[in-house]
Amino acid sequence: MSFIYNGMQILRRGTTNSGTLGGFFTFGGNEIFGISNNHVLANFGFCEVGDFICRAGSDIVVGSLQCWVKLDLSQPNYLDIALFKLAPDVKPYWRMPFSHNSSPGNIRLAEEGESVYMVANNGSIKTGIINQLFTDEDLNVDLNGNNLRFLGLTEVLSTSGIPFSVQGESGSLVFGSNNDLLGILMGSSKNNSSLSYYVPFIHQNLGICAVYPNIRVWNPAKNYS
């Protein structure tokens, strides 16, 4: 049995650009799904359902690609997400910014000025504040050599003296102070390393929960029999 956790680096077999396993979700059934970015797992659609997702730096299969939101090279985008189904021989667990909770709290909308947290690949905790709740102008983002435009992202200003996110951390989840889930990290600003951007779970009809209305946070206390 293989143990996997949020903050672990993953990639799609046959590719070299690794990202981060953000966390675990269900759709009301017994199957568990991991979340990351399209540009990490789905390669802008140059992929197939069932492609193996592996732990970075190894051939250990942790799941199979299931679905993703298409990225458009010509129009503004709002989401950069992909989901994979966990392999039956892996056991997931959560690493939380605040260890007194073993799993996340609620999915909710952040507030401007709120402190936020991210579990880095090495297990350390990065901190920031919400600088802008929803970007209202096109943000040009370079993803694996492709220039894409995004709207409606949440901007995070680092407060820890180091960048809130670095290369390889795309796909990480962003947490609030009660371990609530706010969104999934997409990347940092090329012009200002203290700024990072995440895709919010809740944003009118454009958030992750709007695209997948039945998505639920996987809670080991409730979902393990």
Side-chain angles (χ1 to χ4, degrees):
M1 177 177 289
S2 233
F3 289 90
I4 61 173
Y5 49 86
N6 59 299
M8 187 180 79
Q9 287 202 305
I10 55 173
L11 49 67
R12 186 168 57 89
R13 178 174 282 180
T15 63
T16 57
N17 292 316
S18 63
T20 296
L21 166 56
F24 310 105
F25 298 84
T26 72
F27 289 93
N30 294 324
E31 293 180 325
I32 305 172
F33 296 83
I35 195 169
S36 191
N37 296 132
N38 174 317
H39 79 266
V40 171
L41 298 183
N43 193 28
F44 306 93
F46 293 98
C47 58
E48 299 288 342
V49 172
D51 283 352
F52 287 140
I53 307 302
C54 298
R55 185 168 187 158
S58 77
D59 287 326
I60 298 173
V61 174
V62 298
S64 57
L65 186 63
Q66 293 298 300
C67 54
W68 57 91
V69 174
K70 180 182 178 182
L71 290 172
D72 196 319
L73 294 172
S74 61
Q75 300 291 331
N77 297 275
Y78 297 90
L79 298 169
D80 181 8
I81 55 172
L83 292 161
F84 68 96
K85 184 167 65 175
L86 269 58
D89 60 343
V90 303
K91 185 173 182 178
Y93 67 91
W94 286 100
R95 297 194 304 181
M96 292 289 96
F98 304 99
S99 58
H100 56 275
N101 287 341
S102 61
S103 56
N106 299 317
I107 292 174
R108 67 170 174 85
L109 182 65
E111 299 179 1
E112 286 196 8
E114 176 181 358
S115 294
V116 295
Y117 309 87
M118 187 190 78
V119 181
N121 295 149
N122 63 5
S124 64
I125 308 302
K126 295 186 176 183
T127 61
I129 60 170
I130 301 297
N131 203 42
Q132 185 177 3
L133 192 55
F134 300 126
T135 55
D136 54 9
E137 296 181 358
D138 280 9
L139 181 69
N140 290 306
V141 181
D142 186 299
L143 298 176
N144 298 346
N146 294 282
N147 190 57
L148 289 91
R149 291 181 291 150
F150 281 86
L151 282 172
L153 301 177
T154 300
E155 184 179 83
V156 176
L157 174 66
S158 173
T159 57
S160 58
I162 59 174
F164 188 74
S165 63
V166 296
Q167 186 174 358
E169 291 179 334
S170 295
S172 301
L173 292 183
V174 178
F175 297 89
S177 58
N178 293 319
N179 284 339
D180 290 338
L181 289 182
L182 307 178
I184 181 169
L185 186 75
M186 198 186 68
S188 58
S189 169
K190 291 195 303 181
N191 300 320
N192 186 346
S193 62
S194 66
L195 296 177
S196 296
Y197 298 89
Y198 72 79
V199 176
F201 276 101
I202 299 174
H203 177 201
Q204 299 175 0
N205 63 335
L206 304 172
I208 297 169
C209 289
V211 177
Y212 298 113
N214 296 322
I215 198 167
R216 300 289 183 270
V217 179
W218 176 75
N219 185 325
K222 295 179 181 178
N223 297 115
Y224 267 148
S225 57

